[in-house]
mmCIF file of all heavy atoms in Angstrom:
data_model
loop_
_atom_site.group_PDB
_atom_site.id
_atom_site.type_symbol
_atom_site.label_atom_id
_atom_site.label_comp_id
_atom_site.label_asym_id
_atom_site.label_seq_id
_atom_site.Cartn_x
_atom_site.Cartn_y
_atom_site.Cartn_z
ATOM 1 N N PHE D 1 0.821 -1.219 0.000
ATOM 2 C CA PHE D 1 0.000 0.000 0.000
ATOM 3 C C PHE D 1 0.854 1.267 0.000
ATOM 4 O O PHE D 1 1.785 1.412 0.796
ATOM 5 C CB PHE D 1 -0.914 -0.008 1.225
ATOM 6 C CG PHE D 1 -1.692 1.263 1.429
ATOM 7 C CD1 PHE D 1 -2.886 1.478 0.762
ATOM 8 C CD2 PHE D 1 -1.229 2.260 2.287
ATOM 9 C CE1 PHE D 1 -3.610 2.647 0.946
ATOM 10 C CE2 PHE D 1 -1.937 3.424 2.481
ATOM 11 C CZ PHE D 1 -3.132 3.624 1.807
ATOM 12 N N LYS D 2 0.528 2.162 -0.896
ATOM 13 C CA LYS D 2 1.152 3.491 -0.940
ATOM 14 C C LYS D 2 0.061 4.525 -1.206
ATOM 15 O O LYS D 2 -0.786 4.322 -2.083
ATOM 16 C CB LYS D 2 2.237 3.561 -2.016
ATOM 17 C CG LYS D 2 3.465 2.699 -1.711
ATOM 18 C CD LYS D 2 4.525 2.867 -2.782
ATOM 19 C CE LYS D 2 5.752 2.017 -2.448
ATOM 20 N NZ LYS D 2 6.799 2.144 -3.506
ATOM 21 N N ALA D 3 0.118 5.631 -0.472
ATOM 22 C CA ALA D 3 -0.960 6.628 -0.551
ATOM 23 C C ALA D 3 -0.893 7.484 -1.805
ATOM 24 O O ALA D 3 -1.900 8.074 -2.212
ATOM 25 C CB ALA D 3 -0.923 7.518 0.684
ATOM 26 N N GLY D 4 0.285 7.592 -2.414
ATOM 27 C CA GLY D 4 0.421 8.459 -3.573
ATOM 28 C C GLY D 4 0.488 9.933 -3.172
ATOM 29 O O GLY D 4 0.521 10.278 -1.987
ATOM 30 N N ARG D 5 0.483 10.788 -4.175
ATOM 31 C CA ARG D 5 0.574 12.235 -3.910
ATOM 32 C C ARG D 5 -0.231 12.998 -4.958
ATOM 33 O O ARG D 5 -0.192 12.663 -6.146
ATOM 34 C CB ARG D 5 2.035 12.688 -3.927
ATOM 35 C CG ARG D 5 2.229 14.116 -3.426
ATOM 36 C CD ARG D 5 3.705 14.502 -3.310
ATOM 37 N NE ARG D 5 4.308 14.763 -4.613
ATOM 38 C CZ ARG D 5 5.189 13.981 -5.198
ATOM 39 N NH1 ARG D 5 5.583 12.855 -4.609
ATOM 40 N NH2 ARG D 5 5.690 14.281 -6.382
ATOM 41 N N LEU D 6 -0.959 14.019 -4.505
ATOM 42 C CA LEU D 6 -1.760 14.842 -5.414
ATOM 43 C C LEU D 6 -0.882 15.842 -6.155
ATOM 44 O O LEU D 6 0.192 16.233 -5.674
ATOM 45 C CB LEU D 6 -2.835 15.607 -4.631
ATOM 46 C CG LEU D 6 -3.948 14.784 -3.997
ATOM 47 C CD1 LEU D 6 -4.843 15.681 -3.151
ATOM 48 C CD2 LEU D 6 -4.779 14.057 -5.057
ATOM 49 N N ARG D 7 -1.381 16.281 -7.301
ATOM 50 C CA ARG D 7 -0.714 17.363 -8.023
ATOM 51 C C ARG D 7 -0.805 18.643 -7.192
ATOM 52 O O ARG D 7 -1.834 18.933 -6.568
ATOM 53 C CB ARG D 7 -1.385 17.590 -9.383
ATOM 54 C CG ARG D 7 -1.203 16.445 -10.366
ATOM 55 C CD ARG D 7 -1.953 16.732 -11.660
ATOM 56 N NE ARG D 7 -1.439 17.935 -12.319
ATOM 57 C CZ ARG D 7 -2.011 18.498 -13.384
ATOM 58 N NH1 ARG D 7 -3.132 17.970 -13.870
ATOM 59 N NH2 ARG D 7 -1.489 19.562 -13.932
ATOM 60 N N SER D 8 0.269 19.404 -7.197
ATOM 61 C CA SER D 8 0.302 20.659 -6.438
ATOM 62 C C SER D 8 -0.798 21.605 -6.899
ATOM 63 O O SER D 8 -1.387 22.340 -6.091
ATOM 64 C CB SER D 8 1.664 21.334 -6.588
ATOM 65 O OG SER D 8 2.677 20.535 -6.036
ATOM 66 N N LYS D 9 -1.103 21.575 -8.198
ATOM 67 C CA LYS D 9 -2.133 22.454 -8.744
ATOM 68 C C LYS D 9 -3.481 22.166 -8.097
ATOM 69 O O LYS D 9 -4.251 23.088 -7.791
ATOM 70 C CB LYS D 9 -2.220 22.282 -10.259
ATOM 71 C CG LYS D 9 -3.262 23.169 -10.929
ATOM 72 C CD LYS D 9 -3.311 22.913 -12.436
ATOM 73 C CE LYS D 9 -4.396 23.748 -13.092
ATOM 74 N NZ LYS D 9 -4.489 23.476 -14.559
ATOM 75 N N TYR D 10 -3.778 20.891 -7.890
ATOM 76 C CA TYR D 10 -5.051 20.510 -7.277
ATOM 77 C C TYR D 10 -5.127 21.029 -5.842
ATOM 78 O O TYR D 10 -6.129 21.632 -5.442
ATOM 79 C CB TYR D 10 -5.213 18.994 -7.299
ATOM 80 C CG TYR D 10 -6.535 18.504 -6.745
ATOM 81 C CD1 TYR D 10 -7.640 18.348 -7.570
ATOM 82 C CD2 TYR D 10 -6.674 18.182 -5.390
ATOM 83 C CE1 TYR D 10 -8.863 17.898 -7.067
ATOM 84 C CE2 TYR D 10 -7.890 17.734 -4.882
ATOM 85 C CZ TYR D 10 -8.977 17.593 -5.722
ATOM 86 O OH TYR D 10 -10.172 17.158 -5.211
ATOM 87 N N ILE D 11 -4.083 20.817 -5.078
ATOM 88 C CA ILE D 11 -4.048 21.268 -3.680
ATOM 89 C C ILE D 11 -4.155 22.786 -3.610
ATOM 90 O O ILE D 11 -4.954 23.329 -2.829
ATOM 91 C CB ILE D 11 -2.751 20.792 -2.993
ATOM 92 C CG1 ILE D 11 -2.745 19.266 -2.888
ATOM 93 C CG2 ILE D 11 -2.613 21.423 -1.611
ATOM 94 C CD1 ILE D 11 -1.443 18.686 -2.359
ATOM 95 N N ASN D 12 -3.370 23.473 -4.424
ATOM 96 C CA ASN D 12 -3.380 24.941 -4.397
ATOM 97 C C ASN D 12 -4.735 25.509 -4.794
ATOM 98 O O ASN D 12 -5.190 26.521 -4.228
ATOM 99 C CB ASN D 12 -2.289 25.486 -5.319
ATOM 100 C CG ASN D 12 -0.892 25.167 -4.829
ATOM 101 O OD1 ASN D 12 -0.684 24.923 -3.637
ATOM 102 N ND2 ASN D 12 0.081 25.150 -5.738
ATOM 103 N N THR D 13 -5.402 24.858 -5.752
ATOM 104 C CA THR D 13 -6.723 25.334 -6.179
ATOM 105 C C THR D 13 -7.744 25.190 -5.055
ATOM 106 O O THR D 13 -8.562 26.089 -4.829
ATOM 107 C CB THR D 13 -7.202 24.580 -7.428
ATOM 108 O OG1 THR D 13 -6.283 24.806 -8.497
ATOM 109 C CG2 THR D 13 -8.586 25.046 -7.857
ATOM 110 N N GLN D 14 -7.687 24.077 -4.340
ATOM 111 C CA GLN D 14 -8.623 23.914 -3.222
ATOM 112 C C GLN D 14 -8.388 24.972 -2.146
ATOM 113 O O GLN D 14 -9.344 25.539 -1.609
ATOM 114 C CB GLN D 14 -8.507 22.508 -2.618
ATOM 115 C CG GLN D 14 -9.221 21.457 -3.424
ATOM 116 C CD GLN D 14 -9.768 20.325 -2.576
ATOM 117 O OE1 GLN D 14 -9.346 20.099 -1.445
ATOM 118 N NE2 GLN D 14 -10.709 19.584 -3.129
ATOM 119 N N VAL D 15 -7.149 25.253 -1.850
ATOM 120 C CA VAL D 15 -6.858 26.294 -0.862
ATOM 121 C C VAL D 15 -7.327 27.655 -1.368
ATOM 122 O O VAL D 15 -7.854 28.472 -0.601
ATOM 123 C CB VAL D 15 -5.352 26.315 -0.522
ATOM 124 C CG1 VAL D 15 -5.023 27.476 0.417
ATOM 125 C CG2 VAL D 15 -4.926 25.000 0.123
ATOM 126 N N ASP D 16 -7.161 27.910 -2.662
ATOM 127 C CA ASP D 16 -7.632 29.172 -3.247
ATOM 128 C C ASP D 16 -9.149 29.321 -3.078
ATOM 129 O O ASP D 16 -9.647 30.411 -2.751
ATOM 130 C CB ASP D 16 -7.279 29.249 -4.733
ATOM 131 C CG ASP D 16 -5.798 29.454 -4.982
ATOM 132 O OD1 ASP D 16 -5.093 29.871 -4.031
ATOM 133 O OD2 ASP D 16 -5.339 29.191 -6.104
ATOM 134 N N TYR D 17 -9.887 28.239 -3.321
ATOM 135 C CA TYR D 17 -11.341 28.286 -3.151
ATOM 136 C C TYR D 17 -11.723 28.476 -1.691
ATOM 137 O O TYR D 17 -12.657 29.236 -1.382
ATOM 138 C CB TYR D 17 -11.985 27.006 -3.688
ATOM 139 C CG TYR D 17 -12.407 27.091 -5.128
ATOM 140 C CD1 TYR D 17 -11.509 26.812 -6.156
ATOM 141 C CD2 TYR D 17 -13.702 27.448 -5.480
ATOM 142 C CE1 TYR D 17 -11.890 26.881 -7.487
ATOM 143 C CE2 TYR D 17 -14.100 27.523 -6.807
ATOM 144 C CZ TYR D 17 -13.192 27.239 -7.805
ATOM 145 O OH TYR D 17 -13.572 27.334 -9.124
ATOM 146 N N ILE D 18 -11.033 27.793 -0.796
ATOM 147 C CA ILE D 18 -11.314 27.966 0.633
ATOM 148 C C ILE D 18 -11.153 29.430 1.020
ATOM 149 O O ILE D 18 -12.007 30.020 1.692
ATOM 150 C CB ILE D 18 -10.379 27.079 1.484
ATOM 151 C CG1 ILE D 18 -10.715 25.604 1.285
ATOM 152 C CG2 ILE D 18 -10.497 27.453 2.972
ATOM 153 C CD1 ILE D 18 -9.702 24.654 1.906
ATOM 154 N N ASN D 19 -10.065 30.027 0.586
ATOM 155 C CA ASN D 19 -9.790 31.418 0.965
ATOM 156 C C ASN D 19 -10.691 32.402 0.240
ATOM 157 O O ASN D 19 -11.007 33.473 0.791
ATOM 158 C CB ASN D 19 -8.319 31.737 0.721
ATOM 159 C CG ASN D 19 -7.414 31.053 1.723
ATOM 160 O OD1 ASN D 19 -7.810 30.820 2.867
ATOM 161 N ND2 ASN D 19 -6.194 30.722 1.310
ATOM 162 N N TYR D 20 -11.132 32.079 -0.976
ATOM 163 C CA TYR D 20 -12.117 32.935 -1.644
ATOM 164 C C TYR D 20 -13.413 32.963 -0.840
ATOM 165 O O TYR D 20 -13.966 34.040 -0.552
ATOM 166 C CB TYR D 20 -12.395 32.438 -3.060
ATOM 167 C CG TYR D 20 -13.655 33.042 -3.666
ATOM 168 C CD1 TYR D 20 -13.686 34.372 -4.068
ATOM 169 C CD2 TYR D 20 -14.818 32.279 -3.790
ATOM 170 C CE1 TYR D 20 -14.844 34.936 -4.597
ATOM 171 C CE2 TYR D 20 -15.974 32.835 -4.317
ATOM 172 C CZ TYR D 20 -15.986 34.160 -4.724
ATOM 173 O OH TYR D 20 -17.132 34.721 -5.226
ATOM 174 N N TYR D 21 -13.904 31.780 -0.459
ATOM 175 C CA TYR D 21 -15.142 31.731 0.315
ATOM 176 C C TYR D 21 -14.979 32.382 1.683
ATOM 177 O O TYR D 21 -15.871 33.094 2.151
ATOM 178 C CB TYR D 21 -15.625 30.287 0.455
ATOM 179 C CG TYR D 21 -16.195 29.719 -0.828
ATOM 180 C CD1 TYR D 21 -15.790 28.481 -1.318
ATOM 181 C CD2 TYR D 21 -17.147 30.426 -1.561
ATOM 182 C CE1 TYR D 21 -16.314 27.969 -2.496
ATOM 183 C CE2 TYR D 21 -17.668 29.930 -2.735
ATOM 184 C CZ TYR D 21 -17.252 28.695 -3.207
ATOM 185 O OH TYR D 21 -17.763 28.209 -4.378
ATOM 186 N N ARG D 22 -13.837 32.183 2.320
ATOM 187 C CA ARG D 22 -13.620 32.814 3.616
ATOM 188 C C ARG D 22 -13.595 34.342 3.475
ATOM 189 O O ARG D 22 -14.058 35.060 4.374
ATOM 190 C CB ARG D 22 -12.309 32.313 4.242
ATOM 191 C CG ARG D 22 -12.417 30.897 4.809
ATOM 192 C CD ARG D 22 -11.088 30.395 5.362
ATOM 193 N NE ARG D 22 -10.632 31.170 6.507
ATOM 194 C CZ ARG D 22 -10.996 30.954 7.758
ATOM 195 N NH1 ARG D 22 -11.842 29.972 8.046
ATOM 196 N NH2 ARG D 22 -10.515 31.701 8.736
ATOM 197 N N SER D 23 -13.087 34.835 2.367
ATOM 198 C CA SER D 23 -13.041 36.289 2.167
ATOM 199 C C SER D 23 -14.439 36.891 2.068
ATOM 200 O O SER D 23 -14.649 38.054 2.434
ATOM 201 C CB SER D 23 -12.224 36.630 0.916
ATOM 202 O OG SER D 23 -12.922 36.271 -0.277
ATOM 203 N N LEU D 24 -15.417 36.120 1.582
ATOM 204 C CA LEU D 24 -16.798 36.603 1.517
ATOM 205 C C LEU D 24 -17.348 36.914 2.903
ATOM 206 O O LEU D 24 -18.252 37.737 3.056
ATOM 207 C CB LEU D 24 -17.696 35.562 0.847
ATOM 208 C CG LEU D 24 -17.475 35.286 -0.642
ATOM 209 C CD1 LEU D 24 -18.300 34.078 -1.065
ATOM 210 C CD2 LEU D 24 -17.830 36.492 -1.487
ATOM 211 N N PHE D 25 -16.788 36.248 3.905
ATOM 212 C CA PHE D 25 -17.257 36.411 5.282
ATOM 213 C C PHE D 25 -16.298 37.248 6.126
ATOM 214 O O PHE D 25 -16.458 37.332 7.342
ATOM 215 C CB PHE D 25 -17.443 35.030 5.923
ATOM 216 C CG PHE D 25 -18.453 34.167 5.222
ATOM 217 C CD1 PHE D 25 -18.088 33.412 4.122
ATOM 218 C CD2 PHE D 25 -19.773 34.127 5.638
ATOM 219 C CE1 PHE D 25 -19.017 32.619 3.450
ATOM 220 C CE2 PHE D 25 -20.702 33.346 4.979
ATOM 221 C CZ PHE D 25 -20.323 32.592 3.880
ATOM 222 N N GLY D 26 -15.312 37.846 5.458
ATOM 223 C CA GLY D 26 -14.359 38.682 6.169
ATOM 224 C C GLY D 26 -13.374 37.895 7.009
ATOM 225 O O GLY D 26 -12.758 38.447 7.938
ATOM 226 N N LEU D 27 -13.187 36.614 6.701
ATOM 227 C CA LEU D 27 -12.301 35.755 7.477
ATOM 228 C C LEU D 27 -10.898 35.729 6.884
ATOM 229 O O LEU D 27 -10.715 35.857 5.667
ATOM 230 C CB LEU D 27 -12.861 34.335 7.543
ATOM 231 C CG LEU D 27 -14.201 34.189 8.273
ATOM 232 C CD1 LEU D 27 -14.822 32.828 7.985
ATOM 233 C CD2 LEU D 27 -14.012 34.390 9.772
ATOM 234 N N SER D 28 -9.924 35.536 7.730
ATOM 235 C CA SER D 28 -8.523 35.514 7.291
ATOM 236 C C SER D 28 -8.224 34.241 6.504
ATOM 237 O O SER D 28 -8.855 33.198 6.721
ATOM 238 C CB SER D 28 -7.600 35.607 8.508
ATOM 239 O OG SER D 28 -7.883 34.558 9.427
ATOM 240 N N PRO D 29 -7.274 34.297 5.576
ATOM 241 C CA PRO D 29 -6.937 33.116 4.771
ATOM 242 C C PRO D 29 -6.235 32.035 5.593
ATOM 243 O O PRO D 29 -5.667 32.311 6.645
ATOM 244 C CB PRO D 29 -6.002 33.687 3.694
ATOM 245 C CG PRO D 29 -5.416 34.916 4.312
ATOM 246 C CD PRO D 29 -6.487 35.478 5.194
ATOM 247 N N VAL D 30 -6.304 30.810 5.099
ATOM 248 C CA VAL D 30 -5.626 29.687 5.745
ATOM 249 C C VAL D 30 -4.519 29.186 4.831
ATOM 250 O O VAL D 30 -4.488 29.487 3.631
ATOM 251 C CB VAL D 30 -6.604 28.546 6.072
ATOM 252 C CG1 VAL D 30 -7.690 29.031 7.020
ATOM 253 C CG2 VAL D 30 -7.221 27.975 4.800
#
């Protein structure tokens, strides 16, 4: 068993979406 690794683009895009939605509520980025 090996877990593998995601593409950096995928991870970065998810973080970008998290921070976009948090910005709608005036919340600081993660």
Side-chain angles (χ1 to χ4, degrees):
F1 173 84
K2 292 183 179 179
R5 190 174 75 251
L6 293 174
R7 292 177 62 188
S8 296
K9 181 181 177 182
Y10 183 90
I11 294 174
N12 293 337
T13 299
Q14 281 211 340
V15 175
D16 288 342
Y17 268 86
I18 292 171
N19 288 330
Y20 165 72
Y21 287 131
R22 285 177 64 85
S23 71
L24 292 171
F25 299 84
L27 296 166
S28 56
V30 300

